[in-house]
Amino acid sequence: MDWDALQVFLTVARTGRISVAAKRLGVEHTTVSRRLSALEADLGVPLFYRTTTGYLLTVHGQNVLSNAETMERAA
């Protein structure tokens, strides 16, 4: 799994918004969206529910969050 993609995932999971995540990461919102879509395609499951109020984790997303936070702490 690509660590850069996981960092994007973690930031979106924590902020709930693509635009806020992009600002925190210092990249364009299109970059965040593209990396997130690529991660979901690689895993073959949706990680977020896209709503009008933001991004909410799916069950798969919650599992990835737990693993990604463990990896983050180890790094």
Side-chain angles (χ1 to χ4, degrees):
M1 212 177 296
D2 179 18
W3 177 242
D4 289 335
L6 284 178
Q7 286 181 306
V8 167
F9 166 79
L10 282 169
T11 307
V12 174
R14 291 172 178 160
T15 63
R17 315 265 299 146
I18 292 284
S19 58
V20 175
K23 195 174 288 187
R24 286 194 185 174
L25 293 167
V27 298
E28 295 293 324
H29 72 280
T30 54
T31 300
V32 171
S33 181
R34 194 172 47 251
R35 288 183 183 168
L36 192 56
S37 292
L39 179 61
E40 289 179 318
D42 287 346
L43 296 175
V45 295
L47 302 175
F48 293 97
Y49 296 110
R50 279 104 168 133
T51 71
T52 57
T53 58
Y55 281 50
L56 303 172
L57 288 168
T58 64
V59 172
H60 298 293
Q62 291 171 358
N63 291 333
V64 172
L65 178 63
S66 176
N67 292 330
E69 287 179 331
T70 298
M71 291 173 65
E72 182 182 49
R73 282 191 298 275

